[in-house]
Amino acid sequence: ARALALLGDFITTDHISPAGSIAADSPAARYLEERGVAPADFNTYGSRRGNHEVMMRGTFANVKLQNLLAEGKKGGWTRDFLADEVRPLFDAAMDYEAAETPLVVVAGKMYGSGSSRDWAAKGPALLGIRAAFAESFERIHRSNLIGMGILPLQFIEGQNAETLGLDGSETITVAPIDFSAGLPSPAVVKVTVEKPDGGVVTFDAIVRIDTPTEGRYYENGGILQYVLRDLIKG
């Protein structure tokens, strides 16, 4: 996997979830214009929350978000390491998807704090994010991530991206995890990080799937898949 965002402490669901007006120079605006929608009719992300194409383009697009991979640009920007340039975050995510490269987000303390917002988990899942590393998670957001098939991985106490020397340019591999019994085995998983210069860092991360039910949701790829497969079996 590659990092789509390298974030600090107390990243809220408002930072992640699409909200507010659709900016004229945003990927969401480009999508609407290509379909004949005039800029005067863009409206807000809230008014278009039923359209996943618009909403995924507005994920991580909050103008106050500081992604450390964006080289000082605030909002929905990141470094696309495949193209080796800073690009709109959505465009970079689609570049990684085309290359069949899964994505992660790396954050600090209390990732997903603030009000519970379902799109704060839906949007990242649609962008191809498969795991979230953080020093700690807000309780409901952690559960929502699992419900969308995103693996919450918590740094061991005293460790974080800075202490481990991670800058977001690395290739990240998470060792296999067995969910056949519901709870993750092992509960602490080995993570291997390869730097562009060939250096390797390994560390342990806590798999924050805390109940057998959460494990079954995640093993199925999310709560919707779990429910549908349960109905089919019934």
Side-chain angles (χ1 to χ4, degrees):
R2 300 301 296 258
L4 187 63
L6 178 62
L7 307 168
D9 297 337
F10 303 107
I11 295 299
T12 71
T13 53
D14 286 332
H15 286 117
I16 306 166
S17 187
S21 299
I22 297 174
D25 60 348
S26 66
R30 188 170 70 232
Y31 172 83
L32 292 170
E33 283 185 321
E34 288 171 352
R35 282 148 186 82
V37 179
D41 297 325
F42 285 170
N43 214 318
T44 64
Y45 286 105
S47 71
R48 296 184 179 274
R49 62 181 287 111
N51 185 331
H52 74 278
E53 294 285 1
V54 171
M55 296 296 278
M56 66 191 287
R57 286 164 170 78
T59 301
F60 290 112
N62 187 299
V63 294
K64 295 182 179 179
L65 179 72
Q66 187 163 3
N67 179 1
L68 299 178
L69 299 182
E71 300 179 6
K73 298 187 77 166
K74 289 190 176 182
W77 296 86
T78 195
R79 173 160 285 280
D80 180 343
F81 289 99
L82 298 182
D84 195 26
E85 63 178 347
V86 174
R87 305 178 65 194
L89 186 141
F90 170 80
D91 294 342
M94 295 303 100
D95 200 12
Y96 287 118
E97 181 180 70
E100 299 184 347
T101 301
L103 297 170
V104 302
V105 59
V106 182
K109 299 180 179 70
M110 284 299 289
Y111 180 66
S113 56
S115 302
S116 175
R117 303 198 186 283
D118 55 352
W119 271 104
K122 288 180 185 178
L126 289 169
L127 291 175
I129 291 171
R130 296 294 171 255
F133 290 87
E135 291 181 68
S136 58
F137 293 89
E138 193 280 330
R139 177 180 60 86
I140 297 175
H141 186 61
R142 181 194 64 82
S143 178
N144 286 346
L145 289 174
I146 295 166
M148 290 305 300
I150 297 175
L151 184 65
L153 294 171
Q154 187 166 309
F155 292 113
I156 299 291
E157 182 73 28
Q159 291 186 340
N160 55 37
E162 184 177 2
T163 64
L164 291 166
L166 309 182
D167 63 12
S169 66
E170 303 87 359
T171 301
I172 300 167
T173 303
V174 179
I177 306 169
D178 180 12
F179 289 95
S180 59
L183 287 171
S185 179
V188 177
V189 69
K190 184 73 69 180
V191 181
T192 303
V193 175
E194 184 175 349
K195 293 181 171 292
D197 64 5
V200 175
V201 176
T202 61
F203 62 92
D204 291 333
I206 302 166
V207 184
R208 286 303 313 278
I209 291 181
D210 299 344
T211 70
T213 299
E214 288 180 348
R216 287 190 286 271
Y217 290 162
Y218 177 77
E219 188 181 27
N220 279 275
I223 190 169
L224 179 61
Q225 295 92 321
Y226 171 82
V227 170
L228 291 174
R229 287 173 182 146
D230 196 49
L231 287 171
I232 291 169
K233 284 191 293 185

